[in-house]
Amino acid sequence: MTPEDKSDMVQYPVPIQGSEEGYRNPTELKMSQIVLPCHANHRGELSVGQLLKWMDSTACLSAERHAGCSCITASVDDIHFELTIGVGKVVNIIAKVNRAFSSSMEVGILVNCEDLYTDRQWKVCQAFATFVARRTEAGKVQLKQVIPRTQLEQMEYSLAAERRRMRLLHAEIITDLLSSSTAQPECQEYQDAVPAEQTRVESVELVLPPHTNHQVSTFGGQIMAWMENVATISASRLCNAHPTLRSIDMFHFRGPSHIGDRLVLKSIVNNSFKHSMEVGVCAEAYQGREPLRHINSAFMTFEVLDSNWKPRTLLRIRPEPDGKRRYQEAIARKKIRLDRKYIISCKQTEVPVSVPWDPSNQMYLSYNNVSALKLMDARTNWVLTSEKNNVRLYTLEENHMLRFKVEMHVGVAAEQTFQLLSDLRRRKEWDQHYKECEAIMQVNEEDTLYRVTTPSVSKVGKDNDFILLASRRKPCDSRDPYLIALRSVSLPTHPPTDAYTRGEVLCAGFTIREESGSLTKITYYNQATPGVLPYIATDIVGLSSSFYSSFSACSHFLEANKDTFLL
């Protein structure tokens, strides 16, 4: 259908909760701990290092329940700590395996705090960790698939594939961004700036049996706790106060550590901003006279709270000559963190549909684009509104938002269908709502930016134009469909003009599923807000004209071009 929906940003469900009554995921585990003074910091709040250890332990046990063998922590996605936890409160940590791949799996972790006196609970943080099954005597472990049973499990299963893709691209995109000239501003001189070297910390820890797991490897959570400790000391040296850890960027464990290792932990404040500072920290291991082994690196963001629990203004950092690169990269990473929060985490009313596109946020926009379509595809409460010649129209109305999907079958192989529909420049051959389509930029093999023009909604109005990000995905396995996801972005090179009315698409696209060798089910999704309801109301009532003619034309287009594709 035509791309003219306007709405606010897509929100994603909190993972792990919402199971059907009487059903419990077989990989789900829960750890409950009461916060004692020995777990707390100077403010009587649970140490983040201790929380990380509990989170890692719970997630590891969940992974091992699914794998049936020992597992190790490979990586942890970004973690944002929304609230702190006081002494006497109960920490409830729930972990379950969202999806298994070949020898790795994603484990979703949800942390809640419980007040025993008021029976109140609130969310503290959520995280996604990747665990790898360790080799056995028989060789590499091939993990069994996760079979989602509930709608929420299906959503998390589907989104896990996109999060995995983002993890694999993360290091490459960060490297490209940091190497670009736009991400390397000049270091600024600030009056009363604190020399970065003043915040440098180096500490050593001897790995003893209590620090290891049942595999005699150092707990990933223990390493994270030690890293958090030295990072906190560095942050304290800048502000001469006790800082609060707010977030940890995505990181990967590069290698294992064992009993007898000496872990050297190094940290320094890379840069400080008005209300936050970034601390870089790394962990290296050695035994005897062997060279240092790089175990892990992380970037942690701290704030300092005043007596009213508001962020305090911080002193600025003056980098040493060898610290200018870290100083500049911290600025780029801050932008990435803000983009990530802006695109993925904000409430629907806080951001426009057309988020500005640039290299620093392309990964998150692409993730948001595909994830929004996957979430609509995973919904089960669609209502069949009408049917005409095997073209079915379903609707779903929630929170002043109308979602609709159109479903049909074609006698064309799924991969051929995917290739033909994923090039938007050919859509005008079958869709009367597409007048022209220009490919503006090929971002990568899977993401393209287009400018699309469509007829006016009213008979006397101007035509509409859209700047669309088209994200295409091939299946990870047989349970996944092919995907073509569309959403609006804005580009400085293509601003709105007087000749057209700039339209916006929140979420639209196709899922393409192979049902047999030559039979494919195509489902088109779109979201509509009150502003466009008058335009589609007639079609929704009776599946007349536009809907049916467009998808009938689509079927003919695919049939006519399938042999061309094979050539």
Side-chain angles (χ1 to χ4, degrees):
M1 192 58 188
T2 181
E4 68 278 332
D5 298 327
K6 292 187 178 182
S7 182
D8 299 306
M9 190 60 64
V10 175
Q11 290 292 291
Y12 304 120
V14 174
I16 324 172
Q17 295 179 333
S19 297
E20 292 176 355
E21 185 176 356
Y23 165 74
R24 181 170 179 175
N25 187 292
T27 69
E28 182 179 309
L29 286 173
K30 182 176 181 179
M31 175 187 287
S32 294
Q33 297 278 357
I34 190 164
V35 179
L36 302 175
C38 61
H39 303 137
N41 58 23
H42 69 288
R43 301 185 76 148
E45 299 164 351
L46 174 64
S47 161
V48 172
Q50 180 63 63
L51 178 59
L52 291 171
K53 286 196 284 187
W54 287 339
M55 291 169 65
D56 182 65
S57 297
T58 310
C60 182
L61 293 174
S62 174
E64 291 182 345
R65 174 178 281 187
H66 178 75
C69 63
S70 299
C71 296
I72 56 175
T73 312
S75 68
V76 180
D77 290 2
D78 309 316
I79 308 176
H80 177 70
F81 300 97
E82 299 179 18
L83 296 168
T84 57
I85 305 173
V87 170
K89 302 295 191 295
V90 172
V91 180
N92 295 310
I93 303 171
I94 307 172
K96 75 171 183 67
V97 177
N98 290 329
R99 184 164 183 165
F101 299 96
S102 177
S103 60
S104 68
M105 68 203 94
E106 179 190 275
V107 180
I109 309 165
L110 178 65
V111 180
N112 285 326
C113 181
E114 178 182 354
D115 188 325
L116 296 174
Y117 293 98
T118 63
D119 200 28
R120 187 170 63 93
Q121 294 194 32
W122 58 91
K123 177 185 168 186
V124 174
C125 68
Q126 68 182 74
F128 298 98
T130 301
F131 284 80
V132 175
R134 298 192 68 171
R135 288 177 175 268
T136 64
E137 293 181 358
K140 188 176 181 180
V141 175
Q142 179 67 40
L143 295 172
K144 61 183 179 183
Q145 284 195 355
V146 171
I147 307 299
R149 287 272 304 274
T150 68
Q151 177 176 314
L152 186 52
E153 286 182 1
Q154 179 59 51
M155 288 181 180
E156 290 301 335
Y157 177 92
S158 185
L159 293 178
E162 191 63 16
R163 285 190 289 261
R164 180 173 183 257
R165 175 184 178 274
M166 188 163 63
R167 290 179 199 111
L168 296 174
L169 292 175
H170 183 264
E172 177 184 338
I173 290 176
I174 295 294
T175 300
D176 290 345
L177 177 64
L178 297 180
S179 63
S180 68
S181 57
T182 57
Q184 300 295 333
E186 291 296 323
C187 297
Q188 299 185 45
E189 293 291 337
Y190 291 97
Q191 188 176 5
D192 300 325
V194 176
E197 285 300 311
Q198 187 174 311
T199 70
R200 187 182 295 275
V201 175
E202 181 172 323
S203 180
V204 65
E205 297 283 353
L206 174 61
V207 179
L208 300 172
H211 304 138
T212 59
N213 54 28
H214 49 294
Q215 308 156 34
V216 202
S217 297
T218 313
F219 267 120
Q222 178 63 69
I223 296 174
M224 288 187 281
W226 283 332
M227 295 174 74
E228 185 267 340
N229 177 62
V230 296
T232 301
I233 296 172
S234 284
S236 300
R237 288 182 176 176
L238 172 69
C239 60
N240 295 322
H242 294 284
T244 298
L245 179 60
R246 283 303 184 203
S247 66
I248 304 175
D249 285 11
M250 180 188 298
F251 61 84
H252 299 262
F253 284 96
R254 299 170 181 263
S257 170
H258 306 285
I259 291 176
D261 276 348
R262 279 71 170 170
L263 251 62
V264 180
L265 303 134
K266 304 174 183 178
S267 64
I268 191 171
V269 176
N270 291 330
N271 205 335
S272 63
F273 308 97
K274 185 175 181 180
H275 293 132
S276 66
M277 70 185 93
E278 180 194 276
V279 179
V281 56
C282 73
E284 299 172 317
Y286 73 94
Q287 284 199 21
R289 297 182 179 179
E290 69 178 19
L292 291 170
R293 309 189 312 273
H294 188 186
I295 300 297
N296 193 4
S297 292
F299 300 99
M300 303 185 182
T301 303
F302 289 84
E303 293 177 347
V304 180
L305 304 179
D306 61 22
S307 58
N308 295 318
W309 299 87
K310 300 294 183 182
R312 203 177 78 186
T313 302
L314 300 175
L315 293 172
R316 302 309 298 261
I317 276 287
R318 182 172 68 249
E320 300 299 318
D322 65 347
K324 290 184 177 180
R325 177 186 57 82
R326 294 192 299 269
Y327 180 96
Q328 293 165 339
E329 290 178 352
I331 298 173
R333 279 189 293 269
K334 182 187 179 188
K335 183 182 187 307
I336 293 169
R337 284 190 289 269
L338 292 175
D339 284 341
R340 178 180 66 232
K341 183 177 180 181
Y342 186 69
I343 294 167
I344 296 178
S345 304
C346 281
K347 295 180 180 178
Q348 292 188 357
T349 56
E350 292 179 353
V351 294
V353 175
S354 296
V355 175
W357 184 94
D358 66 43
S360 69
N361 67 14
Q362 69 179 64
M363 177 172 60
Y364 303 108
L365 278 170
S366 180
Y367 171 80
N368 177 277
N369 189 19
V370 174
S371 298
L373 182 62
K374 286 186 172 186
L375 288 177
M376 277 207 288
D377 185 55
R379 288 180 175 270
T380 58
N381 51 342
W382 294 96
V383 177
L384 178 62
T385 303
S386 56
E387 181 176 356
K388 184 177 181 180
N389 292 354
N390 295 320
V391 178
R392 298 179 180 87
L393 173 67
Y394 297 82
T395 57
L396 177 60
E397 190 168 1
E398 289 179 346
N399 302 322
H400 307 291
M401 179 83 67
L402 177 66
R403 298 175 177 89
F404 62 92
K405 72 174 182 178
V406 182
E407 197 173 81
M408 68 176 183
H409 287 80
V410 294
V412 182
E415 185 175 3
Q416 295 172 317
T417 301
F418 172 69
Q419 295 291 347
L420 288 167
L421 293 181
S422 60
D423 186 354
L424 294 194
R425 292 172 298 182
R426 302 199 63 179
R427 186 159 166 176
K428 63 182 181 180
E429 296 179 34
W430 60 268
D431 190 345
Q432 61 184 327
H433 301 102
Y434 271 57
K435 292 182 67 173
E436 296 294 337
C437 182
E438 168 197 3
I440 299 172
M441 182 188 304
Q442 185 74 41
V443 180
N444 52 43
E445 292 184 358
E446 297 181 307
D447 296 290
T448 308
L449 294 172
Y450 292 95
R451 179 178 178 268
V452 176
T453 60
T454 69
S456 170
V457 173
S458 65
K459 295 182 179 180
V460 296
K462 295 181 289 186
D463 284 353
N464 301 295
D465 73 338
F466 303 81
I467 306 299
L468 298 180
L469 170 63
S471 303
R472 43 179 262 165
R473 300 287 188 271
K474 292 184 178 181
C476 283
D477 58 41
S478 59
R479 296 180 61 86
D480 286 327
Y482 291 88
L483 290 169
I484 305 166
L486 306 172
R487 64 150 296 149
S488 284
V489 296
S490 60
L491 282 174
T493 56
H494 291 74
T497 64
D498 293 336
Y500 294 90
T501 300
R502 177 57 53 90
E504 292 185 313
V505 175
L506 170 61
C507 175
F510 296 90
T511 63
I512 301 164
R513 286 183 169 85
E514 183 176 297
E515 299 206 337
S516 67
S518 60
L519 184 65
T520 297
K521 182 171 78 171
I522 301 175
T523 308
Y524 175 76
Y525 294 92
N526 210 328
Q527 290 190 155
T529 53
V532 299
L533 287 180
Y535 175 65
I536 62 175
T538 303
D539 288 336
I540 287 181
V541 170
L543 193 60
S544 59
S545 60
S546 293
F547 276 114
Y548 175 70
S549 61
S550 292
F551 285 90
S552 178
C554 178
S555 178
H556 291 310
F557 165 77
L558 295 171
E559 292 280 357
N561 288 278
K562 63 180 180 180
D563 294 333
T564 304
F565 169 78
L566 289 174
L567 295 176

